[in-house]
Amino acid sequence: AAPAAPAASISEKLQMGTLSKATSQKMLDPRAYLFEEEDNEQNIILREALPPSTPGNKVIRGATIEKIIQRLTSEKHVDHTFVSAFLLTYTAIFTSRELFDLLQLRFCQIPNQGMDQTTFEKSKLGPIRSRVISFIKSWIRSDKFPFEEDRRLRKRLHRFLKLEVSPLIPTAPKEIRLLLEPNENPTQTTASGVMMGKKPPKSHPFKDLGDSVPTISDFHPEEVARQLTYIFNLNST
């Protein structure tokens, strides 16, 4: 029997026009190339972790949104502390739709010029996609995913799972849908099993205070209570 032809790379599929229109458009987005751009002072600022832990361990002091997404979905390691901190504060940086757009771009990552396509897809793209799925699960488990406020985003997520995730990671869509079910068909139950009489209140966005240092009075009381509860749950688990 003749040997099977090697599978076409993502870039080859893009050139042949065998990818979906939506996926092709995402791949042509210039932001897709900024994830794997070499670290420099213009796109990320790092400092030593405090208190000092593992030698060479650094935390992000500032970064472009593309570099933030790269760190959240790094194929090398997962910084759970950074993921938790990001989910608590990302609404001060961009909207949920913008975050989802970037996650889709990251999932469809293509190599920058000079990178070997086959090596990139085998050694980096698989783990990156797994990290994207893992982050989406964490996002859904947090109270920041806008289930009620943005039905269009929910539809986009389901479409993304069906058209782009399912052919590559067949088990992921079912796992994510199981996480979505309590929110899309809510029977409000807390982690301790206590039934709630009504849905939790909506999030209250942080105020833009410019260069001013915020005080506790600058935040809505319900949002303070929400964040304290979320931090408590993180620590208890």
Side-chain angles (χ1 to χ4, degrees), residues 15-235:
Q15 294 171 358
M16 292 186 294
T18 56
L19 295 170
S20 69
K21 181 179 179 180
T23 301
S24 299
Q25 288 175 340
K26 283 193 286 292
M27 289 183 175
L28 293 172
D29 189 317
R31 294 178 299 171
Y33 295 94
L34 299 179
F35 298 120
E36 294 302 321
E37 185 180 41
E38 186 175 353
D39 290 354
N40 59 67
E41 294 182 354
Q42 300 301 315
N43 59 33
I44 190 167
I45 301 174
L46 303 171
R47 63 172 173 80
E48 295 295 333
L50 296 174
S53 52
T54 305
N57 185 28
K58 296 184 178 181
V59 296
I60 296 177
R61 183 178 178 184
T64 63
I65 57 176
E66 291 84 12
K67 278 296 178 181
I68 290 175
I69 297 300
Q70 182 205 37
R71 293 289 170 138
L72 290 169
T73 58
S74 171
E75 79 283 1
K76 297 178 181 178
H77 66 278
V78 180
D79 187 340
H80 295 288
T81 301
F82 181 48
V83 171
S84 299
F86 176 83
L87 287 172
L88 283 170
T89 59
Y90 84 85
T91 52
I93 306 172
F94 38 44
T95 67
S96 295
R97 290 188 185 186
E98 289 171 333
L99 173 57
F100 186 68
D101 285 343
L102 289 164
L103 290 173
Q104 283 188 290
L105 280 175
R106 183 66 165 155
F107 190 85
C108 297
Q109 178 76 46
I110 53 178
N112 291 1
Q113 288 187 341
M115 292 186 182
D116 179 72
Q117 295 177 5
T118 303
T119 301
F120 175 81
E121 291 176 19
K122 289 183 178 179
S123 63
K124 296 193 68 171
L125 190 55
I128 286 172
R129 284 174 169 160
S130 296
R131 301 294 192 222
V132 170
I133 296 302
S134 178
F135 178 82
I136 290 176
K137 290 178 181 178
S138 297
W139 189 13
I140 293 171
R141 291 189 185 103
S142 75
D143 67 343
K144 293 297 184 180
F145 192 92
F147 296 102
E148 295 299 324
E149 299 89 340
D150 198 335
R151 294 183 179 181
R152 181 180 176 185
L153 180 58
R154 294 207 317 265
K155 290 181 179 179
R156 287 182 58 197
L157 174 57
H158 283 295
R159 183 175 177 82
F160 170 65
L161 293 174
K162 179 181 179 180
L163 299 181
E164 299 182 38
V165 177
S166 183
L168 299 168
I169 312 177
T171 59
K174 182 178 180 180
E175 294 170 355
I176 292 177
R177 290 189 185 104
L178 288 174
L179 292 174
L180 287 167
E181 280 181 1
N183 296 279
E184 296 183 334
N185 303 289
T187 300
Q188 295 296 314
T189 306
T190 64
S192 60
V194 179
M195 299 297 293
M196 299 174 61
K198 60 181 181 179
K199 298 176 183 178
K202 296 181 180 179
S203 297
H204 301 275
F206 298 125
K207 298 178 182 178
D208 184 3
L209 301 176
D211 296 329
S212 301
V213 177
T215 65
I216 191 68
S217 62
D218 292 315
F219 302 98
H220 193 285
E222 285 185 350
E223 193 61 32
V224 173
R226 183 197 304 276
Q227 300 302 333
L228 289 174
T229 302
Y230 187 54
I231 293 171
F232 174 79
N233 287 337
L234 285 175
N235 290 334

